[in-house]
Amino acid sequence: MKNLYFPSKVNVAAYEIESAFTVKKVNDQIVLDGVDGKLIQCLADKLNFEIEVLLPPDGQIVSSYGNGTFGGIVGMVQRGEADLGIIGLTISERTAGAVDFSIPFSALEYVFLTKEPKQMPKISAFTFPFTWNLWILYAFMVLAATILFQRIMFRKATLLGSFLSVLGSIASQAMGNVRETTWSRVLFGLWLTIAVVMAFFYKNSVVSFMTMPGKVPVPRTFVELSVAVLNGKYKCLTTKGVNDRDILLESVNEYMVKLGEIIEKNNWEYSYGEQFADLLDEPVAIIISKMGIKLFLGSPPYVSVKESDDYLGVWHVAINLRKGFCCRERLNDVLYGIASGGLYDKWINDFAFRDTLRKRLEVKHEDPESQLTLKDLKMAFFVLFVGHALALMAFLAELLIPKRFDIFYS
């Protein structure tokens, strides 16, 4: 026969976080709010027990002291100071010897966040249509064509003269002094085709980029994040009082271990009480659960963050129970009804909607600008003026330099 007994008073160890667990006094009565607060309150109403909330003196959710002992919420449950522990506690092998677990009622999918990538600067847009590999290949083609044309096509042209003719053909300038042979015509037609096609693609890409700029690349996977952190381009923060670092350090992947080591060395961490959006203003990534993103940050476009494409891991969330707690079976029965009925997911969505709505009211709508401005074209005008200046210098050189110093023809 199932035991229907349940204690009249239960000590609950928790950590106060907005939207997750808060304690308020209303008419001299304790009222719990937040997602996990709603969960404990629902259990108390169903099982008819009084709640005594205990906050961890060290302000930690879980911290390991070694030798199987813990601090924070888990430590309070382990020492018997609290009957239950709540707030994002997961079923883990590390704490299995210290506490018992209820049935899982949710899951935490850990990812990392970065600031929404900024637009690439338009001032250097002329370099973006081609990758560096393609620029190098294009330069090699120009040099090869210069040497080939000087040997085969141009009459009495110097190497510099051949180079200027080839370069001019890319900018739609005519090429003169070509030998009229079948082979030179084929070579000439082939090169003009390449010059026209490449110039066409380049011009269209430049205009497209300047009206709709691309994004500055940011790390999208933990491999990329590890490389960026090791190169000093990024910082990575883990949650204070949670074992994220230990998960990284105990990983079988070398890049994860290296990431954990540099985080441990620099003691990079954050607390749930901080404004995450402010932390991400610098080149910073933070490791957080997707549920935490939903509750504490909201969703785009009201927050400009980018989730990673892969996961650090997925862990089941459960209530931590004191060893020997009398009524685990009854607690699990009620908890199963709450989880399977979708109540916990509903509470998450309710609080996420409330906070997102608040952020939405604070955001001012701005129409995106798709027009080119003088500032955007500053570099283009600068290059144009430099080109005109060089052309004027070349013209003056042709007038003033004697024929015996002709640099175009031998």
Side-chain angles (χ1 to χ4, degrees):
M1 184 176 178
K2 188 176 290 188
N3 182 13
L4 299 179
Y5 167 77
F6 205 89
S8 59
K9 184 177 180 180
V10 174
N11 294 328
V12 178
Y15 184 82
E16 283 199 272
I17 305 172
E18 185 68 28
S19 300
F21 190 95
T22 56
V23 183
K24 301 176 183 177
K25 265 198 171 183
V26 179
N27 298 328
D28 295 329
Q29 288 187 338
I30 297 294
V31 177
L32 303 183
D33 199 16
V35 176
D36 287 339
K38 290 281 188 184
L39 175 64
I40 293 296
Q41 190 66 59
C42 187
L43 290 171
D45 294 341
K46 182 64 178 177
L47 296 170
N48 196 28
F49 64 83
E50 181 185 345
I51 304 167
E52 177 71 25
V53 178
L54 305 175
L55 302 178
D58 57 2
Q60 304 284 319
I61 295 177
V62 55
S63 56
S64 178
Y65 295 149
N67 301 322
T69 59
F70 295 88
I73 295 173
V74 174
M76 295 180 71
V77 177
Q78 181 185 28
R79 295 189 297 270
E81 299 170 10
D83 301 305
L84 310 178
I86 196 80
I87 292 294
L89 297 175
T90 59
I91 299 174
S92 69
E93 187 178 352
R94 295 176 67 249
T95 58
V99 297
D100 287 333
F101 306 105
S102 69
I103 61 169
F105 56 86
S106 187
L108 294 180
E109 304 164 303
Y110 273 88
V111 296
F112 70 83
L113 286 183
T114 56
K115 192 75 171 177
E116 182 72 26
K118 298 179 181 179
Q119 291 183 346
M120 289 183 175
K122 294 181 182 179
I123 193 171
S124 53
F126 66 93
T127 64
F128 294 140
F130 299 152
T131 62
W132 286 111
N133 292 337
L134 190 54
W135 277 118
I136 293 172
L137 177 62
Y138 202 18
F140 176 77
M141 288 173 56
V142 170
L143 293 176
T146 297
I147 297 172
L148 193 62
F149 284 11
Q150 194 264 342
R151 297 290 182 183
I152 298 175
M153 293 179 56
F154 297 137
R155 299 187 184 95
K156 300 180 181 180
T158 64
L159 200 59
L160 178 58
S162 178
F163 173 73
L164 293 176
S165 296
V166 170
L167 202 60
S169 67
I170 299 173
S172 303
Q173 299 298 313
M175 294 178 68
N177 199 28
V178 178
R179 289 176 181 169
E180 298 294 335
T181 64
T182 304
W183 172 242
S184 63
R185 287 178 182 178
V186 172
L187 189 61
F188 184 59
L190 179 62
W191 172 252
L192 287 184
T193 302
I194 295 173
V196 170
V197 170
M198 293 295 286
F200 174 79
F201 284 138
Y202 177 80
K203 291 172 184 176
N204 281 277
S205 298
V206 167
V207 174
S208 299
F209 178 85
M210 295 187 72
T211 51
M212 295 292 292
K215 301 286 188 178
V216 176
V218 297
R220 302 302 319 125
T221 65
F222 275 92
V223 175
E224 294 176 1
L225 177 64
S226 178
V227 172
V229 170
L230 291 173
N231 290 336
K233 297 179 180 179
Y234 260 81
K235 290 170 60 177
C236 182
L237 311 181
T238 56
T239 317
K240 185 178 182 181
V242 181
N243 59 345
D244 299 349
R245 295 185 193 178
D246 297 330
I247 294 170
L248 290 169
L249 292 171
E250 295 169 6
S251 173
V252 296
N253 298 312
E254 185 180 359
Y255 63 88
M256 289 283 198
V257 176
K258 289 182 177 179
L259 180 60
E261 288 173 349
I262 196 167
I263 292 172
E264 182 76 21
K265 178 182 177 181
N266 294 283
N267 195 30
W268 288 334
E269 60 183 18
Y270 70 95
S271 67
Y272 283 117
E274 296 181 73
Q275 294 293 327
F276 298 153
D278 295 338
L279 292 175
L280 293 168
D281 279 342
E282 301 177 12
V284 172
I286 63 173
I287 295 177
I288 188 174
S289 68
K290 297 188 79 170
M291 185 191 300
I293 299 171
K294 201 171 185 179
L295 285 176
F296 307 132
L297 278 173
S299 57
Y302 313 113
V303 59
S304 54
V305 296
K306 195 82 170 175
E307 292 181 25
S308 61
D309 294 334
D310 59 356
Y311 296 87
L312 175 62
V314 180
W315 288 269
H316 292 292
V317 183
I319 297 175
N320 283 200
L321 308 173
R322 171 176 50 83
K323 289 285 187 180
F325 183 67
C326 64
C327 310
R328 177 179 175 182
E329 187 177 355
R330 285 206 67 200
L331 181 72
N332 282 339
D333 287 342
V334 178
L335 195 57
Y336 178 78
I338 292 172
S340 60
L343 279 177
Y344 192 77
D345 291 335
K346 178 185 180 300
W347 293 328
I348 292 174
N349 292 330
D350 286 346
F351 281 97
F353 174 76
R354 183 199 68 181
D355 294 342
T356 300
L357 184 62
R358 185 186 305 162
K359 291 181 176 69
R360 180 177 181 179
L361 295 174
E362 295 172 355
V363 173
K364 295 181 179 179
H365 177 73
E366 295 181 0
D367 291 324
E369 294 183 1
S370 57
Q371 295 178 322
L372 294 177
T373 64
L374 184 60
K375 182 179 179 181
D376 299 330
L377 298 174
K378 182 169 60 175
M379 181 58 71
F381 280 114
F382 175 76
V383 173
L384 178 63
F385 293 146
V386 170
H388 284 318
L390 292 176
L392 179 61
M393 291 173 61
F395 174 70
L396 294 175
E398 287 185 3
L399 293 178
L400 300 176
I401 295 177
K403 282 291 182 180
R404 62 177 179 276
F405 295 113
D406 197 338
I407 60 175
F408 295 100
Y409 302 104
S410 57

